[in-house]
Amino acid sequence: MTIRATRTVAALAVLGLGLTACGTDAEEPTSGADGTADGTTDDGTTDDGTTTEDAAAGDSSDGTVTLYSGRNEDLVQPVLDAFSEETGIEVEVRYADTAAMAAQILEEGDNSPAEVFLAQDAGALGAVAKEGRLLELPEETLELVPETYRSQDGDWVGLTGRARVLVYNEDAVSEEDLPTSVQELTEDEWAGRVGIAPTNASFQSFVTAMRVLEGDDAARQWLTDMAANDPQIREKNGIIVADVDSGAIDAGLVNHYYLYELAEEQGVPAEDLSAALHFFPDGDTGALVNISGIGLVGEQADGDAQALVDYLLSEAGQTYFVENTHEYPMVEGVEPDPSLPSLDSLDVPDVDLNDLDDLQTTIEMITEAGLL
């Protein structure tokens, strides 16, 4: 690895995730069904006799694809099963936290068996792409996704859109008292009332966006002030939403779709929960719309890997995410959940998702503030 890659791996490991640990949307990484890395021999040929160069060109196929997933098995496995049923291509998955998967890809380098990386956020994809570990995607794949939600270098695309919100308990917080900016959450009024998940990739990307928009000094000050305001630290966004709904805490910074996840768990409509969503106005950093996204990893990625990317961007794949996760689709023609405000109507901050790739500095800042 390069010195920069080594430092990035070390920064990701600061979260306590290591290369096999659990965090948000995490499971211990598991190897492929045959227990081997990827079926590649020492001379660079695969089990079917093709070279890694052939695979990189997307012309080869061995009927399997190795996916490193930073999204959890309960969420992702059903759509992967549908892909396998339709195409006959088996997907061998390693599940772990997005940060852990990114670190593992960088640690493994050219020896990584990963062919596809599915990440919770653009920052992790950018960190891996920065080290040259992602391949350029075909133009026809890139054109499916708006420029705002794909890599400017063409090496990753968004699969779903995820809006940052403040989830709040309607019995504890009145609408007129809702903050207009995340900056207000460091004030005395909110002391001890706000849940955050510092180990979560979406929180880290939000902090990175603050660094991009307002500068490192401003982001560092917000983290310091937030840490001094007795934040309610939770491991996952879903726990924050559940605690807000139960009244254990008054509010929390999360992604929008966790409210719908809780409603489904409880078997009630989202509007029947005590928790509700507040979308920050006026382009506030707290209104960041990030993506879950995907990229092809290394020279071993073949036609089967590209087929998986294409399926997840197809109408069937996008509809799965809309109906099962309530995230925003990335592909034109697929309708979003009608209970959500349209993506175009959200007043989001003017930040390029390609600029969220400096996870190392962000994690260092979060740690120095005492939030990790």
Side-chain angles (χ1 to χ4, degrees):
M1 291 190 294
T2 64
I3 293 175
R4 181 175 62 186
T6 302
R7 293 181 64 204
T8 300
V9 170
L12 293 169
V14 164
L15 296 179
L17 300 173
L19 300 180
T20 58
C22 296
T24 302
D25 287 347
E27 269 192 28
E28 184 171 342
T30 54
S31 61
D34 62 359
T36 61
D38 64 346
T40 303
T41 62
D42 291 340
D43 64 2
T45 62
T46 59
D47 291 340
D48 63 1
T50 59
T51 66
T52 53
E53 287 77 11
D54 293 333
D59 295 330
S60 64
S61 172
D62 61 3
T64 64
V65 57
T66 300
L67 170 68
Y68 277 25
S69 176
R71 307 204 69 181
N72 71 42
E73 184 172 5
D74 289 344
L75 171 65
V76 172
Q77 196 60 51
V79 73
L80 300 180
D81 291 341
F83 164 74
S84 296
E85 183 175 352
E86 179 170 317
T87 64
I89 300 171
E90 179 184 356
V91 185
E92 298 178 353
V93 194
R94 299 186 180 189
Y95 290 103
D97 181 273
T98 288
M101 286 284 83
Q104 186 160 345
I105 290 170
L106 295 181
E107 177 75 14
E108 292 170 342
D110 292 339
N111 295 318
S112 178
E115 296 175 83
V116 183
F117 178 33
L118 173 57
Q120 276 185 287
D121 72 300
L125 287 162
V128 174
K130 183 185 290 186
E131 299 304 324
R133 298 301 302 138
L134 299 184
L135 300 180
E136 185 173 351
L137 292 162
E139 190 64 31
E140 57 267 27
T141 299
L142 296 171
E143 290 178 350
L144 292 171
V145 178
E147 287 187 22
T148 302
Y149 302 115
R150 68 184 196 227
S151 164
Q152 61 190 6
D153 295 324
D155 46 20
W156 57 261
V157 290
L159 287 181
T160 62
R162 346 167 72 211
R164 294 291 292 174
V165 297
L166 183 76
V167 61
Y168 67 100
N169 186 293
E170 293 182 293
D171 296 326
V173 183
S174 62
E175 285 193 26
E176 56 266 27
D177 290 334
L178 287 169
T180 58
S181 170
V182 291
Q183 297 295 335
E184 296 176 34
L185 298 179
T186 64
E187 297 174 358
D188 291 344
E189 176 188 353
W190 292 99
R193 303 174 67 192
V194 182
I196 59 174
T199 62
N200 185 266
S202 59
F203 181 84
Q204 294 158 21
S205 288
F206 148 70
V207 173
T208 307
M210 185 180 292
R211 293 175 49 217
V212 171
L213 290 170
E214 303 176 35
D216 282 0
D217 289 344
R220 185 178 288 105
Q221 188 63 56
W222 184 86
L223 289 168
T224 299
D225 293 345
M226 197 69 190
N229 215 30
D230 190 24
Q232 302 304 296
I233 306 295
R234 300 293 188 270
E235 182 184 4
K236 300 182 180 182
N237 282 330
I239 298 174
I240 292 175
V241 175
D243 283 352
V244 169
D245 187 62
S246 71
I249 52 179
D250 291 346
L253 292 172
V254 298
N255 288 341
H256 77 273
Y257 52 87
Y258 285 97
L259 181 78
Y260 298 90
E261 181 180 282
L262 178 65
E264 290 179 359
E265 289 175 1
Q266 296 190 3
V268 300
E271 56 267 26
D272 288 353
L273 296 173
S274 296
L277 302 181
H278 171 54
F279 292 80
F280 288 98
D282 303 325
D284 187 72
T285 310
L288 176 71
V289 172
N290 206 333
I291 52 94
S292 72
I294 199 163
L296 299 179
V297 182
E299 298 301 320
Q300 65 275 15
D302 61 11
D304 295 332
Q306 180 62 48
L308 176 58
V309 174
D310 292 340
Y311 182 82
L312 295 177
L313 289 171
S314 71
E315 182 176 356
Q318 291 284 286
T319 300
Y320 169 84
F321 286 111
V322 170
E323 294 179 349
N324 290 276
T325 71
H326 303 274
E327 294 171 88
Y328 288 100
M330 288 286 99
V331 175
E332 185 177 355
V334 179
E335 294 298 320
D337 187 322
S339 67
L340 290 170
S342 69
L343 194 56
D344 291 341
S345 71
L346 299 181
D347 194 356
V348 301
D350 184 17
V351 61
D352 188 338
L353 296 183
N354 289 277
D355 293 334
L356 304 184
D357 58 359
D358 183 12
L359 293 179
Q360 174 190 325
T361 303
T362 295
I363 292 168
E364 290 172 354
M365 284 186 178
I366 294 172
T367 303
E368 289 168 1
L371 293 173
L372 287 176

